[in-house]
Amino acid sequence: EQDKTCLECLRHNIQSLAAGSRCRVVPGRIPEALSLPLASSPSDAFALVLADPPYREAYPELPALLVQQKLVKDGSVVFYE
């Protein structure tokens, strides 16, 4: 997510669900987010990935990149809109 209002709402919802220790929000565009050191060990891999890129920017390579960079694990769910 890039929109500040949406990010605030997302973080508020995570906090209200007391899920902060199990969630990580990575703001920004997909290429920049994938360039960050997101998973330093297999236990850091995401169980759930929500990716909603702007419709003018398609990233058909995203699922392969998530696997290649070990950002997902067996059983992970990726919602890519």
Side-chain angles (χ1 to χ4, degrees):
E1 184 59 64
Q2 297 179 71
D3 182 272
K4 288 184 181 193
T5 303
C6 290
L7 285 168
E8 288 173 16
C9 181
L10 180 58
R11 289 183 175 122
H12 172 77
N13 290 342
I14 290 168
Q15 182 180 8
S16 69
L17 294 169
S21 64
R22 298 183 319 252
C23 296
R24 184 168 26 156
V25 176
V26 181
R29 296 177 61 243
I30 291 172
E32 288 81 15
L34 290 176
S35 70
L36 299 172
L38 297 174
S40 57
S41 71
S43 64
D44 291 336
F46 294 97
L48 174 64
V49 175
L50 305 173
D52 183 17
Y55 290 105
R56 66 183 179 280
E57 299 177 26
Y59 295 98
E61 67 278 9
L62 178 63
L65 289 171
L66 292 172
V67 172
Q68 180 183 23
Q69 295 185 23
K70 297 181 172 61
L71 296 175
V72 291
K73 54 190 169 191
D74 287 342
S76 292
V77 176
V78 177
F79 287 97
Y80 178 65
E81 189 175 327

